[in-house]
Amino acid sequence: MATSMNIPPLSFITSSFLCVLLFGARGLCEPVPGMYVFGDSLVDVGNNNYLPLSLAKANLPHNGVDFPTGKATGRFSNGRNAADFLAEKVGLPSAPPFLSLVSRFKKLSSSNATVTGVSFASGGAGILDGTDELYRQSIPLTKQVGYYSLVHEQLVQQLDSDEAQAHLSKSLFVVVIGSNDLFNYFNKNSKASKEYTPQQFVDLMVSTLKGLLKRLYELGAHKFVISGVGVIGCCPVQRKHSATGDCNEEINTWSMKYNDGLKSLLQEFMTESSDIHYSYCETYDVMNNLIQHPETYEFTEIKEACCGRGTLKAEFPCTPISTYCSNRKNHLFWDLYHPTEHTSSLFADSIYSGPQQTTFPMNVEQLVNV
C-alpha cells in the first residue's frame, strides 16, 4: 500500500530551482533578501566615521570592547546594536554604512553589498533637518532617504526594474529615529522651542516622517519596521540633572505623545496603500519594563552609564580617558545616551518576536511571512 510523503508540488520545486539558478548567489530567494536601515545613533554602524565635522562619533575605545573584533566601529555601544541583532535574526549580514560604499568622488560603488542591505543611520540625526545642531554634522532623515534613492537606482540597474521591485517588496525597511528631535527641542538653547509649542513640534515630526515614508514606498518599500521613541528622559544624561537621579518626566511625556502620533500615522499609511505592511515596536513600554523590573533581566544598574566620567558617568562621553564597568551585561546603559549590547539584544528580541502588546499589528517574525 502506498504511503503519503511530504513532497512539495512540482511547481514549487521548479520555481525554487529557477529562483536559486537565477538569483541564489545574490540572496534574492531568501524570505528577507535585504534590510535597509534608517535612523540615528541607536542603529548607526559607522556612517558618522565618514563625516569630518561630526562631534557624534564612536570610533574610539572603549566603544566596541565587546564587538567580535574588539575594536570601535562607529557603533555607539560596547558591541553590536539592535540593527545588528535584527539582521542576524532574519538571516542577513549587518548592513554596511552607506558612506563606506561611496567613493571620494561621491559616486556609489558597484558593490553587490547594496542587495542585502545598507545602513543610512547617523548619530545625531533627526526626522527634522537641523536637529543635529548640537553635533555639527549628521545625516538627517531627509538626506538618508535621498541616499537610498541612489541605492534604488543602482538596484534597478543591477537586477532590472521588475526584479528590483520584487526584491524590495520582500525586504525590510527599518526606521529608528525621533529621540534627537525631542532632545534638541527640550535643550535650554533650543531654537525650535521658540518657534513651536511641544504639541506643534511633535505634530511636525509626525507629518515630516509621513512624507518620508511615502517617498520610501514610492521607491519600492512595502515592509516597514518602525520603532517608537523610548523612555529617553531616563537616560543618564537626563537623570544627572536630578539630585536623586530621577527621570525627566517632561521629555518622557512628549515622547509618549509623539509615539501616539506615530501610531496614528502608521494606521493611516496602511489604509492609504493596501500593499503596505508594518511592525511597530512600542520601545517606550519595552524600555520602561526593563527599568521597572531590572532583576528579571539581570540588570543591577539602570541609572549610571557603564562608560563615561562624572555624575552617573554622564558628564563625558565614552572615550579612551573614560572608565568603564567590568560587567556590561548588568548595566542598562553603555554611555550617557545609549544602551549596552545586552540591552540592544533585548530590544531586538521584542521587535522580532514580541507579543502584540508591545509589537503590533504584528512582530517582525510575522511580517517576514506576509
Side-chain angles (χ1 to χ4, degrees), residues 103-114:
S103 73
R104 62 191 180 94
F105 301 108
K106 304 301 180 185
K107 183 178 179 181
L108 184 60
S109 73
S110 58
S111 168
N112 286 333
T114 57

Side-chain angles (χ1 to χ4, degrees), residues 49-347:
N49 289 352
Y50 298 87
L51 300 176
L53 301 180
S54 178
L55 298 178
K57 291 184 180 180
N59 58 347
L60 295 171
H62 305 288
N63 294 294
V65 65
D66 296 310
F67 197 72
T69 61
K71 296 179 181 179
T73 61
R75 290 167 172 81
F76 294 79
S77 172
N78 56 302
R80 292 172 290 174
N81 63 31
D84 295 309
F85 286 113
L86 185 59
E88 182 179 56
K89 287 178 180 295
V90 299
L92 291 171
S94 292
F98 172 79
L99 293 182
S100 71
L101 306 175
V102 179
S103 73
R104 62 191 180 94
F105 301 108
K106 304 301 180 185
K107 183 178 179 181
L108 184 60
S109 73
S110 58
S111 168
N112 286 333
T114 57
V115 175
T116 55
V118 182
S119 174
F120 306 91
S122 170
I127 296 168
L128 305 174
D129 292 350
T131 291
D132 64 346
E133 61 184 344
L134 292 175
Y135 307 106
R136 293 178 60 180
Q137 188 181 31
S138 69
I139 310 170
L141 188 58
T142 50
K143 197 167 187 178
Q144 293 181 33
V145 173
Y147 283 156
Y148 166 71
S149 69
L150 301 178
V151 171
H152 177 269
E153 183 180 309
Q154 185 186 82
L155 288 172
V156 170
Q157 291 173 355
Q158 283 182 262
L159 307 177
D160 89 29
S161 182
D162 290 343
E163 291 168 17
Q165 182 56 45
H167 167 77
L168 293 170
S169 69
K170 294 167 62 179
S171 296
L172 298 181
F173 287 75
V174 180
V175 182
V176 180
I177 203 162
S179 298
N180 289 319
D181 297 276
L182 291 166
F183 281 136
N184 183 57
Y185 181 86
F186 288 100
N187 177 45
K188 64 180 180 180
N189 299 316
S190 167
K191 295 177 184 176
S193 63
K194 296 177 175 63
E195 297 179 35
Y196 306 100
T197 66
Q199 187 62 59
Q200 289 172 333
F201 187 74
V202 297
D203 289 347
L204 179 61
M205 288 172 63
V206 170
S207 62
T208 303
L209 179 60
K210 184 175 183 180
L212 294 170
L213 293 179
K214 281 187 173 181
R215 180 59 181 149
L216 289 176
Y217 171 67
E218 291 167 358
L219 292 170
H222 286 71
K223 294 185 177 182
F224 292 89
V225 181
I226 312 287
S227 171
V229 170
V231 192
I232 61 175
C234 295
C235 64
V237 76
Q238 294 293 322
R239 286 185 184 268
K240 74 174 183 179
H241 298 297
S242 166
T244 54
D246 293 335
C247 300
N248 181 332
E249 294 304 336
E250 182 182 28
I251 198 168
N252 281 344
T253 295
W254 287 101
S255 296
M256 288 188 287
K257 288 185 181 293
Y258 164 73
N259 288 341
D260 289 341
L262 175 57
K263 285 178 280 190
S264 296
L265 174 165
L266 292 171
Q267 290 169 354
E268 292 171 9
F269 191 35
M270 191 168 69
T271 57
E272 291 170 3
S273 303
S274 60
D275 55 349
I276 287 175
H277 303 281
Y278 73 90
S279 175
Y280 169 82
C281 182
E282 190 68 274
T283 309
Y284 191 101
D285 289 350
V286 174
M287 185 175 175
N288 197 45
N289 185 50
L290 301 182
I291 292 171
Q292 298 300 322
H293 306 285
E295 66 286 344
T296 303
Y297 305 94
E298 300 182 1
F299 289 118
T300 59
E301 181 54 71
I302 60 170
K303 294 184 178 182
E304 184 176 85
C306 171
C307 184
R309 295 178 73 88
T311 305
L312 298 181
K313 290 191 178 177
E315 303 284 351
F316 202 75
C318 184
T319 68
I321 64 170
S322 302
T323 58
Y324 68 98
C325 58
S326 58
N327 185 350
R328 273 78 72 188
K329 283 194 173 181
N330 64 17
H331 276 62
L332 182 65
F333 290 96
W334 165 241
D335 63 14
L336 65 174
Y337 287 107
H338 305 100
T340 57
E341 179 184 62
H342 178 54
T343 307
S344 292
S345 73
L346 296 174
F347 285 149

